[in-house]
């Protein structure tokens, strides 16, 4: 049995208790490029970091081909580096090449360094962490892969994973990669309806979940959410259930006790040979319409890009412990808790808890206990912890820390300074990393090519290798002057970019490649300084970012409008001291609406149809919304109202009923004060 085998023991216990302007280093030394980046050896004429960056842009294909040969283990070498037509949303990297991603993340390290720790599962209770070596993770993945295969999951299938961060979630992702299935991880905070929508769109045959999750001392029954979801998902044949706690769980005929079945599987699982451009995973994210989009990421390019960015953005070195505290349900968890670190044979922390459990010292106590070298977190958590004061940080030894990372939203200067001076004792560079679910990995970050480059607080700074940002002006032309702002586009394909939207390639083209033909449009605005440093200024579309979680305002409106009392609504982002952005809903009620507790009715509807984080922070009931004569809601007017910038509301000539605006301004004052 599992418990009696040394190496399997830890593996089994990983799945459940039952189985048991600142900154250092303005030095501008010129190293030979190849000494810094061994992949660059052989690039004739490239002498320094800047040269390497230029080379990666001017000779993109040679750059990526050399890196791909060196960093990945191929079954068949690729014959074609890049084939693309941006206007059609077509991007193909490393065609002809074949590989298996799980072999790249596991077998090669299990072979050379079997007892190295691959994952540290930082469970909710501090001090109860579980370490999993490369050998153990490979075995766990092989057993899971064999189980998937025996239960007829194969290339072309999609497996939905609805689990908190834990080693078996990672093994499940890698087991999919091993047998050629795509995975679709859904953040375990999403409701049954949101989960069902994603399962249906992905046409998943199989779901993997846990009986219940444990986070911040709170137990949540995930399996019953899955039961409710799959009732409305005809494609689901089977649900694998992992026991995270001892609590018994009702099993239906579709359910499979995953750990039990894994025990009788072999620890060797033949990896499937995959083409570079086969699908690795789908990941749903919000856009500016009501329907979430399943971004498609493929094998070789994604893995290569996460591996290279993990190494160079964070200066990750062999033996370091990398602590990305993002949930595996988001792209950050995919790229920097799982694929990047494992591709590099690193040690990665999987964080199950919250920044304030059992107290606001949790992160730093963990840093001390696990000797974390790179800590990668979100501005919203930093802002929250800052409020609790420095003592919670200073209590713990943070001398292991070398690099601090930030992701998900702009980091304000106060939070940046605190992160740098208090958390990092002024010693550790803070890297503010800009990227998206669509980009697969970090695209703009302070020191992608120079370990000692200057960092300006709160700026994402410089493009990564092979990334060519372009800012567009209001006419849709590239901005040519220095020190300018515009819509942020990327002018060249890079290996980590998403290849499509599942089931809707046209939407992929329309969203990312239509606005600025020949360019990938990010949806963000940015400013570029004279020195060529980028600062991200925020979304240009109707997508908002609540605590670093992305959500489309249209998605929330759709759900608010489903409340029986609601006639119509308009949702916009508002600034929030901790969350970055909060949700502000303007709601028009039906004439005959009953007045009993409409606020909780709306909140309950949003949390049951989407997730708790999408609930409005403010609900303002209004008689009518400001509309144009053609009936379009003038959202910019609403934005000005919540930003308290009503001195100049802009051109109101198309407004149908100017009185509506005055009513709304007054209502806002009544709700939020002056
Ligand atoms: C959007 C992408 C990338 C992983 C987490 C979020 C915003 C992300 C930054 C940053 C300013 C940022 C952008 C982007 N964003 N990082 N460092 N500075 N804004 O992934 O859910 O796909 O959201 O998050 O607006 O478009 P996502």
């Amino acid at each position: 049995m599992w418990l009696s085998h040394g190496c399997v023991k830890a593996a089994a216990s990983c799945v459940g208790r039952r189985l048991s302007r600142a900154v250092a280093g303005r030095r501008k030394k010129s190293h030979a490029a190849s000494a810094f980046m061994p992949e660059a050896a052989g690039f004739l004429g490239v002498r320094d970091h800047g040269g390497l960056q230029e080379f990666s842009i001017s000779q993109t294909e040679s750059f990526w081909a050399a890196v791909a040969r060196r960093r990945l283990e191929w079954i068949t070498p690729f014959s074609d580096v890049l084939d693309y037509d941006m206007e059609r949303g077509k991007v193909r990297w490393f065609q002809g090449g074949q590989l298996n991603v799980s072999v790249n993340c596991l077998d090669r390290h299990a072979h050379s360094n079997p007892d190295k720790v691959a994952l540290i599962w930082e469970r909710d209770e501090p001090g109860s962490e579980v370490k999993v070596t490369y050998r153990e993770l490979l075995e766990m993945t092989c057993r899971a892969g064999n189980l998937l295969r025996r239960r007829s999951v194969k290339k072309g299938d999609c497996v939905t994973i609805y689990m908190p961060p834990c080693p078996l979630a990672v093994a499940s992702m890698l087991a999919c990669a091993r047998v050629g299935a795509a995975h679709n991880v859904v953040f375990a905070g999403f409701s049954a309806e949101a989960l069902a929508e994603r399962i249906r769109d992905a046409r998943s045959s199989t779901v993997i979940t846990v009986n219940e999750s444990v986070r911040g001392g709170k137990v949540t029954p995930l399996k019953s959410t899955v039961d409710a979801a799959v009732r409305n998902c005809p494609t689901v044949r089977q649900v694998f259930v992992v026991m995270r706690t001892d609590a018994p769980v009702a099993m239906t005929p579709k359910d499979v006790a995953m750990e039990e079945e894994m025990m009788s599987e072999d620890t060797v699982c033949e990896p499937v040979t995959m083409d570079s451009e086969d699908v690795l995973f789908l990941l749903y994210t919000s856009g500016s319409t009501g329907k979430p989009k399943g971004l498609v990421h493929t094998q070789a390019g994604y893995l290569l890009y996460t591996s290279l960015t993990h190494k160079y953005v964070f200066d990750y070195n062999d033996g370091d412990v990398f602590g990305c505290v993002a949930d595996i349900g988001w792209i950050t968890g995919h790229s920097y808790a799982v694929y990047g670190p494992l591709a590099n044979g690193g040690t990665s922390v999987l964080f199950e808890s919250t920044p304030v459990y059992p107290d606001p010292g949790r992160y730093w106590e963990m840093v001390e206990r696990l000797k974390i070298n790179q800590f990668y977190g979100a501005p919203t958590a930093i802002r929250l912890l800052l409020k609790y004061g420095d003592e919670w940080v200073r209590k713990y030894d943070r001398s292991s820390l070398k690099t601090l990372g930030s992701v998900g939203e702009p980091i304000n200067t106060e939070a940046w300074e605190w992160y740098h001076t208090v958390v990092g004792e002024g010693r550790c560079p803070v890297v503010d990393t800009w990227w998206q679910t669509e980009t697969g990995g970090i695209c703009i970050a302070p020191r992608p090519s120079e370990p000692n480059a200057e960092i300006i607080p709160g700026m994402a700074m410089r493009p990564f290798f092979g990334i060519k940002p372009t800012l567009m002006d209001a006419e849709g032309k590239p901005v040519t002057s220095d020190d300018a702002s515009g819509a942020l586009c990327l002018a060249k394909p890079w290996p980590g970019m998403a290849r499509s939207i599942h089931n809707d390639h046209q939407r992929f083209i329309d969203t990312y490649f239509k606005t600025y033909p020949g360019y990938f449009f990010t949806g963000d605005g940015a400013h570029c300084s004279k020195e060529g440093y980028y600062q991200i200024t925020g979304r240009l579309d109707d997508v908002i970012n609540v605590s670093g979680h992305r959500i489309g305002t249209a998605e929330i409106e759709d759900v608010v409008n489903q409340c029986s009392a609601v006639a119509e609504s308009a949702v916009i982002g508002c600034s929030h001291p901790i969350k970055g952005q909060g949700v502000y809903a303007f709601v028009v009620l039906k004439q005959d609406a009953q007045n009993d507790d409409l606020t909780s009715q709306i909140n309950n509807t949003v949390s049951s149809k989407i997730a708790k984080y999408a609930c409005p922070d403010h609900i303002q009931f209004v008689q009518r919304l400001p509309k144009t004569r053609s009936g379009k809601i003038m959202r910019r007017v609403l934005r000005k109202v919540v930003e308290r910038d009503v001195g100049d509301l802009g051109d109101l000539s198309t407004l149908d009923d100017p009185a509506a605006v005055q009513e709304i301004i007054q209502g806002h004052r009544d709700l939020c004060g002056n």
Side-chain angles (χ1 to χ4, degrees), residues 331-332 408-410 432-437 524 539 545 550:
I331 191 70
T332 312
E409 51 177 316
D432 174 13
T433 61
W434 175 86
W435 58 296
Q436 317 176 294
T437 306
D524 280 309
R539 298 287 308 192
N545 206 318
R550 173 166 159 182

Side-chain angles (χ1 to χ4, degrees), residues 380-505:
T380 181
I382 301 304
R383 284 192 297 267
L384 176 70
L385 296 177
L386 184 159
K387 300 243 176 298
Y388 286 97
D390 302 359
E391 268 319 291
W392 288 110
V393 186
R394 297 202 201 278
K395 251 173 104 162
Y396 300 103
D397 176 7
R398 287 151 288 121
S399 56
S400 59
L401 287 174
K402 296 194 274 195
T403 309
L404 297 170
S406 168
V407 62
E409 51 177 316
I411 179 162
N412 50 308
T413 315
E414 188 194 7
W416 194 100
E417 294 287 357
W418 187 78
Y419 202 23
H420 180 245
T421 53
V422 179
V423 175
E425 302 169 310
R427 293 183 289 109
C428 309
V430 172
V431 292
D432 174 13
T433 61
W434 175 86
W435 58 296
Q436 317 176 294
T437 306
E438 291 83 345
T439 69
I442 295 163
C443 289
I444 307 185
R447 41 181 56 177
S449 71
E450 261 182 272
N452 290 315
E454 175 192 29
I455 300 180
I456 298 169
M459 279 182 101
M461 306 288 293
R462 300 175 177 80
F464 190 69
F465 295 119
I467 297 290
K468 190 175 175 216
T470 304
L471 300 180
M472 298 293 181
D473 65 17
E475 269 94 62
K477 302 241 160 40
V479 169
T480 45
S481 56
D482 293 349
D483 204 8
S485 297
L488 177 63
C489 292
L490 301 176
K492 267 176 179 291
W494 63 101
M497 71 193 289
R499 303 295 197 261
S500 192
I501 290 175
H502 185 60
N503 286 334
D504 200 351
H505 192 69

Side-chain angles (χ1 to χ4, degrees), residues 322-336:
F322 190 79
C324 167
V325 292
D327 193 281
I328 51 158
W330 310 113
I331 191 70
T332 312
H334 282 60
S335 300
Y336 300 108

